[in-house]
Amino acid sequence: MTTLQDDLSDVHPGRAKIEIALALALTVPGFVVRFTHPDISHPLEAFLFGLAIVGAAFMLSWAAEAAQLDISAGLAIAILALIAVLPEYAVDFVFAKKGGESFAQTGAACLPLDGGTESPCHLALANMTGANRLLIGVGWTMVIFIAYFRLKKRDRLVKTPNGRWEGVRLDREHSIEIGYLAIATIYSLTLPLKHSVTLVDAAILIGIFVAYSIRVSRAPAEEPHLVGPARYIGTFGTVPRRITVGAIAVFAAVVILLFAEHFAEALVLSGEALGVSEFLLVQWVAPLASEAPELLIAGLYAWRLNTSAGLGTLVSSKVNQWTLLVGTLPIVFSFAAGGLHGLPLDTVQREELFLTAAQSFFAVAVISSLTMSLREALFLFALFWGQFILGGIVPEQYHGIERVAVGIVYLVLGVWVLVSDRFNFPQLARDAFRAPYDELAREREADALAEAARRQV
């Protein structure tokens, strides 16, 4: 574990400047395509706009990290929660808006209006379900794998009496994220039983996010752990730092707002041009662009063995996606549709929602003990990629059975883990919703001392 002073003393300005310059360079082709309208193919257009969004997402993440030095803990949490998922929100909102416009003109069929063959209503949920599953199946497990590799290389693996690595342990404060994620996950399991995600669902999910934000806003100020260019920006004086952070954030937000819709449209038209499912492109390619910076930062935390921060960041992001993102989609849809209509769900969308909610259920069950072992990470990783591969192998008429079957496996495994760890629930619930922060912090300080003593041994 490193301190803020350690972070700011171990800075490589030359490397940081190169990384910032590369992020800026990624946005340049997007500006060229956006304002000169060259005659290029839709796949290339989608690629260039996607690169611009990746560059902007990196800049947003650096600005958000550095901003923690200048704003209170509560305000930081509220702002960072929104900034971290802004690229994904922008793309999802494009599809939700187009879905609402289509619904207003074509009714419940929600037919495509701007090319492509896939309903824009379906595409809004495709991006959301893909991003949520990617975050757990790749992001959470990546932190565990990197930590295991680094600890094993340094001969610092702490093993349990049965000879297995104890895994990555979250600080006790992260019980709060887990508690609210559990509530959102339980509610999300009801969505596949409906024919639309309604404004009532939106109110409940956003209400969970608001309650979560209020709870974490009471956290005392803490030293942030900065990585990459954010560490370099953190060495600036107060005024130059604030100006730099503001300029980077504004520029990145402008890039995302300028290119998100064009990226979404080009991605859909690419599917049509290449004969590839538009749904799959939106479900997996679009989230890769928006999630890449966050996954990289979590990976850097894990590489530096700040594992609680790495995994905790991704758990917090999952709370944001599963509450605020899902909750705002029907609002954008109904506004564009000009009524109080919910975002329609057909059979495929209900199956996708069930699979995504079931994966979340298993992940919450695993992390409810505040630890994730290598074996648990391997289960999550294997199930994610197994389902992904099965989706490409199984004949199309059996896709529904495949999605539901994998979802049931997630649920069964989740129930098994919960029953095995049932005695942890009262403490987790108290820590998540009632325990004062100073009590939770004392546990972390004790763990830090124990870790320091263990390293000396």
Side-chain angles (χ1 to χ4, degrees):
M1 181 74 72
T2 59
T3 65
L4 176 61
Q5 198 59 40
D6 294 331
D7 288 341
L8 298 185
S9 63
D10 183 22
V11 175
H12 304 280
R15 185 189 305 170
K17 290 176 183 178
I18 291 173
E19 291 177 8
I20 294 172
L22 287 174
L24 285 169
L26 288 178
T27 68
V28 173
F31 279 104
V32 173
V33 175
R34 173 71 172 78
F35 293 106
T36 64
H37 308 290
D39 185 17
I40 60 176
S41 65
H42 293 304
L44 180 57
E45 186 180 12
F47 176 72
L48 295 178
F49 283 134
L51 279 183
I53 291 175
V54 168
F58 272 111
M59 287 186 277
L60 271 181
S61 67
W62 297 331
E65 279 192 272
Q68 295 177 80
L69 295 171
D70 295 302
I71 54 182
S72 66
L75 183 58
I77 289 164
I79 293 175
L80 294 177
L82 295 174
I83 288 178
V85 290
L86 179 59
E88 187 179 334
Y89 276 44
V91 175
D92 255 326
F93 285 1
V94 168
F95 288 120
K97 174 177 171 290
K98 289 182 178 295
E101 293 170 348
S102 173
F103 187 90
Q105 296 183 42
T106 66
C110 199
L111 301 175
L113 301 177
D114 302 320
T117 59
E118 191 72 49
S119 165
C121 297
H122 299 172
L123 296 179
L125 288 170
N127 189 46
M128 181 274 292
T129 54
N132 271 276
R133 299 213 294 269
L134 190 72
L135 189 65
I136 291 176
V138 174
W140 289 23
T141 58
M142 172 195 68
V143 172
I144 311 304
F145 297 151
I146 292 175
Y148 178 79
F149 169 78
R150 292 282 286 166
L151 289 168
K152 185 176 182 180
K153 189 175 181 181
R154 296 186 178 191
D155 197 24
R156 284 172 48 190
L157 286 174
V158 178
K159 296 186 178 180
T160 60
N162 62 11
R164 292 175 179 160
W165 176 45
E166 65 178 4
V168 169
R169 180 169 182 81
L170 289 171
D171 293 332
R172 193 173 161 193
E173 293 103 314
H174 290 297
S175 298
I176 296 171
E177 284 97 336
I178 296 169
Y180 282 94
L181 179 57
I183 293 175
T185 297
I186 291 170
Y187 184 78
S188 71
L189 286 169
T190 69
L191 297 180
L193 305 176
K194 305 178 180 182
H195 292 283
S196 64
V197 183
T198 67
L199 294 178
V200 173
D201 298 318
I204 292 172
L205 290 169
I206 293 174
I208 294 172
F209 176 78
V210 170
Y212 161 70
S213 299
I214 292 172
R215 173 73 166 120
V216 296
S217 69
R218 296 169 183 159
E222 295 180 356
E223 290 187 345
H225 296 284
L226 307 180
V227 296
R231 298 168 76 178
Y232 170 61
I233 297 171
T235 63
F236 295 2
T238 301
V239 173
R241 181 175 63 241
R242 290 176 178 174
I243 292 174
T244 302
V245 167
I248 291 175
V250 168
F251 175 78
V254 168
V255 169
I256 290 168
L257 293 175
L258 277 176
F259 300 154
E261 183 168 4
H262 296 277
F263 171 63
E265 291 174 348
L267 200 58
V268 170
L269 294 174
S270 296
E272 186 178 21
L274 298 173
V276 178
S277 168
E278 299 155 24
F279 186 91
L280 288 178
L281 284 177
V282 171
Q283 188 172 40
W284 300 116
V285 176
L288 279 176
S290 58
E291 298 284 352
E294 190 170 22
L295 295 179
L296 179 61
I297 289 172
L300 287 173
Y301 277 133
W303 186 261
R304 298 173 65 204
L305 296 180
N306 193 355
T307 51
S308 180
L311 185 56
T313 296
L314 297 182
V315 173
S316 179
S317 179
K318 175 67 177 177
V319 177
N320 298 332
Q321 289 186 3
W322 214 214
T323 56
L324 190 61
L325 176 59
V326 180
T328 49
L329 288 181
I331 295 176
V332 174
F333 175 86
S334 63
F335 181 81
L340 300 178
H341 310 285
L343 183 61
L345 302 174
D346 67 3
T347 301
V348 174
Q349 309 316 308
R350 290 196 292 273
E351 292 164 357
E352 289 285 347
L353 276 172
F354 171 69
L355 177 59
T356 307
Q359 185 207 43
S360 181
F361 178 80
F362 178 44
V364 169
V366 165
I367 207 70
S368 63
S369 63
L370 293 181
T371 61
M372 182 178 287
S373 68
L374 180 63
R375 183 174 64 170
E376 291 166 337
L378 286 170
F379 266 112
L380 280 169
F381 185 80
L383 281 170
F384 171 79
W385 285 107
Q387 189 277 323
F388 185 85
I389 294 170
L390 277 175
I393 296 175
V394 172
E396 187 173 354
Q397 63 265 34
Y398 298 117
H399 281 178
I401 297 174
E402 168 256 319
R403 283 187 287 262
V404 172
V406 176
I408 291 173
V409 171
Y410 275 125
L411 290 180
V412 170
L413 288 174
V415 170
W416 176 69
V417 172
L418 290 176
V419 170
S420 301
D421 295 339
R422 60 189 179 278
F423 299 112
N424 294 327
F425 298 156
Q427 184 64 50
L428 176 68
R430 182 183 179 279
D431 288 350
F433 306 113
R434 294 180 54 198
Y437 262 97
D438 57 352
E439 178 184 330
L440 302 180
R442 284 197 298 271
E443 178 92 4
R444 174 167 47 82
E445 292 167 2
D447 288 344
L449 291 174
E451 174 66 16
R454 192 159 53 196
R455 289 184 183 184
Q456 291 177 356
V457 174

